[in-house]
Amino acid sequence: MKRAQFDVARKTIYWMIAGIVITLVVIAFAFTLGSYRNKLTQVAPELRAELLSLRIVHNPYCFVWIDKFGVVHEGIIDLTKFTSAQMDLCYAPEKERGFQDFNFRLRLEQRGVEVMSNNYFHKDDFTLFKEVLVRDSQGVVIKDRLIIYVEEKI
């Protein structure tokens, strides 16, 4: 055997190993960039829950008071609508997979009235507070604080 044959074999093995190492480095770099991008664009769960909970005091299909002329009064909760049935119309995660979504327990602090979403399991992750006005069945409007207990995935 000649020395040139060993040089060709040695170079072939070197480039195979170098190719594998370069491929692994490129793949690791791609995963690092992907995870960095995900961390940059991640939204805090508190912000997502805050945006979801805005429908409670601003959406006419939830608990917002609508007067006899059909005018929607955002920020005023109709106490007669503050029920579990209305909560199911307003926000109802899926029965089977709803435990993977946000679930809420709403409590009017002064009134002591509570409603919860259909998959709420009393495992509070964090709490949101909103100053609201509450209109009762006699038409009396008082200031109250809506405490929103938020439950993330179980």
Side-chain angles (χ1 to χ4, degrees):
M1 290 192 137
K2 296 186 179 181
R3 182 158 169 78
Q5 290 175 336
F6 287 117
D7 285 342
V8 171
R10 196 174 329 148
K11 286 181 183 178
T12 303
I13 292 172
Y14 169 78
W15 283 112
M16 283 178 31
I17 293 171
I20 291 171
V21 169
I22 290 171
T23 303
L24 291 175
V25 168
V26 168
I27 290 172
F29 184 68
F31 279 125
T32 303
L33 284 180
S35 67
Y36 178 70
R37 186 191 60 170
N38 287 340
K39 287 179 185 176
L40 282 178
T41 59
Q42 186 177 15
V43 177
E46 290 84 1
L47 178 60
R48 290 187 350 204
E50 177 73 32
L51 293 173
L52 270 174
S53 69
L54 284 175
R55 73 172 62 182
I56 294 165
V57 293
H58 294 289
N59 189 343
Y61 298 108
C62 288
F63 306 114
V64 176
W65 175 53
I66 302 172
D67 65 14
K68 62 183 175 182
F69 302 110
V71 177
V72 176
H73 298 276
E74 294 181 11
I76 302 177
I77 292 179
D78 189 351
L79 197 58
T80 60
K81 291 170 78 175
F82 202 73
T83 63
S84 295
Q86 190 69 26
M87 181 66 173
D88 289 341
L89 292 173
C90 176
Y91 180 77
E94 295 179 34
K95 286 285 189 190
E96 292 80 30
R97 297 182 329 147
F99 59 89
Q100 297 174 346
D101 297 328
F102 284 112
N103 286 288
F104 299 105
R105 176 170 56 115
L106 311 175
R107 184 175 200 291
L108 289 170
E109 189 174 45
Q110 290 181 5
R111 297 285 180 154
V113 182
E114 273 189 1
V115 295
M116 350 179 168
S117 58
N118 60 359
N119 286 324
Y120 187 78
F121 290 107
H122 295 281
K123 186 194 78 64
D124 301 330
D125 292 315
F126 53 91
T127 306
L128 304 172
F129 301 95
K130 294 195 179 304
E131 298 294 326
V132 294
L133 297 172
V134 179
R135 183 179 188 278
D136 62 11
S137 58
Q138 285 81 28
V140 177
V141 177
I142 63 165
K143 186 176 179 180
D144 204 343
R145 185 164 78 156
L146 179 65
I147 304 172
I148 304 170
Y149 300 98
V150 182
E151 175 181 272
E152 277 188 279
K153 301 174 184 175
I154 293 182

